[in-house]
Amino acid sequence: MKAGIVGLPNVGKSTLFNCLSNAKAQSANFPFCTIEPNIGVVNVPDPRINKLEELVKPERVQMATVDIVDIAGLVKGASKGEGLGNQFLGNIRECNAIIHVLRCFDNDNIVHVDGSVDPIRDKETIDIELQLKDLETVEKRLEKTKKAAKTGNKEAQVETALLERIREALLQAKSARTVVPQNNDEEVLFESFQLITSKPVLYVCNVDEASAVNGNKYVEQVKELVKDENAEVIILSVGAEADITELESYEERQVFLEDMGLTEPGSSVLIRAAYKLLNLQTYFTAGVKEVRAWTINIGDSAPKAAGVIHTDFEKGFIRAEVIAYNDYVTYGSEAKVKEAGKLRVEGKEYIVKDGDVMHFRFNV
């Protein structure tokens, strides 16, 4: 599962990517500096794993990770292949969610591709290009399904009706994600269309350091614009985040954050938000060899969660021994949890909860 960072050139995408992944993607003051997408495997900050490490004292700790992709800056006309349009749109199609970076700071030394700072215009530029590309996809598909629907094919009729609704939304400059599938068949179809604007999105307002806590007039404009989108807006000073990653020690970073009025780096907030946006959650295994966070989809069953460790665990699943994270912390060890009668044995139907500490029994 991957989240792609998108935005116009020079809004701070590659600098943000560097902060998140500690990879050094090229960032420069002109468009199309990022051509090939850079992919970073990013640890998901989670204070729960620190607590488990403290209690279990394992030999090693393995955090959950999420893939973040830095995608080339998009310009007007990308849907028709302008700039690196086709490549950009292909890269974004392969991502499961979108982190849309908007420039919300004034700085005469950093060129804006459209000559002035206006996050509303910038957002609309990108939205329109993505919507135009989706409209092209939908109209091509409609040509085929309409012919089949005329012959009385029921499946084609359902597909045509859904495509018509999506087309109507796109023509009104609304993203495909605003169209709600009405039943299970439509949900499956909707997923199969692989539309760019159907992907979940969160907005990152890249602000100056002084606006990192409370935002500024540009941030307020963005919040007002997206209030009906059911999308999270995160305020981040990408320049300050870059300075923080350059500091050697944890203590130095904390002092820097305190001076800014922050309790943790904005990048940590963003990574957790991206993880949630991808519909992911974490369960833990905790033993003296290793404390580890495992990534699963929200709603996964116990056998499916076991399969993340090894396919044999899923195939031969017998049962899962489960401790709620809060119980583990309250009692301080697996043995004490058992004594208190708080360890549960769950079967194949169990839906894993975020933070469960689990041990699987299987037989192959």
Side-chain angles (χ1 to χ4, degrees):
M1 299 288 278
K2 296 186 290 198
I5 302 177
V6 306
L8 293 177
N10 287 358
V11 296
K13 297 184 315 302
S14 294
T15 308
L16 174 60
F17 175 81
N18 290 339
C19 298
L20 296 178
S21 66
N22 289 333
K24 293 294 177 199
Q26 196 182 3
S27 62
N29 191 8
F30 57 91
F32 309 136
C33 177
T34 309
I35 297 174
E36 289 303 318
N38 295 293
I39 299 179
V41 181
V42 181
N43 283 335
V44 179
D46 190 335
R48 296 175 301 182
I49 203 164
N50 303 335
K51 189 67 189 168
L52 289 172
E53 181 184 11
E54 203 181 288
L55 294 171
V56 179
K57 297 181 176 54
E59 288 173 22
R60 62 179 177 269
V61 172
Q62 181 78 44
M63 297 170 80
T65 61
V66 63
D67 286 359
I68 304 287
V69 186
D70 177 26
I71 295 169
L74 174 145
V75 292
K76 277 185 189 135
S79 56
K80 296 182 180 68
E82 289 293 318
L84 297 164
N86 293 328
Q87 195 170 351
F88 169 96
L89 293 159
N91 293 335
I92 200 171
R93 205 182 287 283
E94 288 167 20
C95 292
N96 309 89
I98 296 169
I99 298 167
H100 188 158
V101 182
L102 294 163
R103 176 169 168 176
C104 294
F105 66 90
D106 294 304
N107 185 335
D108 294 339
N109 296 321
I110 299 175
V111 180
H112 189 290
V113 74
D114 287 328
S116 63
V117 176
D118 184 347
I120 306 308
R121 179 202 57 214
D122 295 355
K123 178 188 179 299
E124 284 169 357
T125 297
I126 292 221
D127 284 351
I128 287 165
E129 294 304 327
L130 300 185
Q131 288 159 5
L132 285 171
K133 198 66 188 172
D134 277 350
L135 186 61
E136 190 185 298
T137 305
V138 165
E139 288 183 334
K140 273 185 191 164
R141 194 149 178 159
L142 261 172
E143 274 176 41
K144 290 180 188 169
T145 59
K146 274 182 174 173
K147 285 175 190 166
K150 280 177 185 164
T151 67
N153 182 316
K154 290 276 193 295
E155 285 171 9
Q157 287 169 354
V158 170
E159 185 168 338
T160 300
L162 177 58
L163 285 166
E164 291 281 17
R165 285 190 355 249
I166 296 168
R167 181 175 178 273
E168 191 53 40
L170 292 167
L171 286 171
Q172 292 172 21
K174 293 177 183 171
S175 292
R177 71 181 76 86
T178 61
V179 177
V180 180
Q182 292 172 349
N183 52 47
N184 203 41
D185 288 348
E186 282 199 350
E187 262 178 47
V188 173
L189 272 173
F190 194 82
E191 192 75 25
S192 74
F193 298 156
Q194 290 268 292
L195 297 172
I196 298 171
T197 66
S198 69
K199 298 176 191 298
V201 64
L202 71 84
Y203 297 98
V204 175
C205 292
N206 181 13
V207 298
D208 56 282
E209 192 175 316
S211 306
V213 177
N214 298 315
N216 56 26
K217 63 177 182 182
Y218 298 127
V219 174
E220 294 312 310
Q221 289 168 8
V222 172
K223 285 182 175 175
E224 181 60 28
L225 184 68
V226 307
K227 67 175 191 290
D228 298 329
E229 280 192 39
N230 191 28
E232 192 171 352
V233 176
I234 289 173
I235 303 168
L236 202 68
S237 173
V238 175
E241 295 286 326
D243 291 341
I244 291 168
T245 58
E246 296 296 326
L247 296 172
E248 294 297 320
S249 72
Y250 173 79
E251 287 73 22
E252 283 178 302
R253 290 195 290 271
Q254 287 308 111
V255 169
F256 194 120
L257 286 167
E258 279 167 28
D259 287 347
M260 286 176 66
L262 298 171
T263 53
E264 66 174 337
S267 53
S268 297
V269 177
L270 174 57
I271 294 164
R272 286 197 296 271
Y275 194 69
K276 194 171 135 196
L277 192 70
L278 289 163
N279 201 39
L280 301 175
Q281 68 177 16
T282 300
Y283 76 86
F284 300 102
T285 50
V288 287
K289 286 270 182 213
E290 180 182 70
V291 164
R292 182 162 183 164
W294 299 90
T295 299
I296 57 169
N297 290 307
I298 293 169
D300 275 357
S301 64
K304 206 144 197 163
V308 174
I309 299 176
H310 198 287
T311 49
D312 285 353
F313 282 31
E314 184 173 1
K315 282 183 203 154
F317 180 90
I318 300 169
R319 65 178 184 272
E321 294 170 2
V322 183
I323 303 168
Y325 170 78
N326 286 341
D327 286 339
Y328 203 109
V329 171
T330 301
Y331 294 99
S333 72
E334 191 175 321
K336 285 181 180 164
V337 170
K338 281 180 182 170
E339 273 174 40
K342 292 287 185 179
L343 182 140
R344 306 190 316 276
V345 175
E346 302 285 0
K348 289 182 178 179
E349 303 304 312
Y350 178 67
I351 301 300
V352 179
K353 292 181 179 61
D354 187 49
D356 277 350
V357 181
M358 305 186 77
H359 185 70
F360 298 104
R361 301 287 177 191
F362 70 103
N363 183 23
V364 176

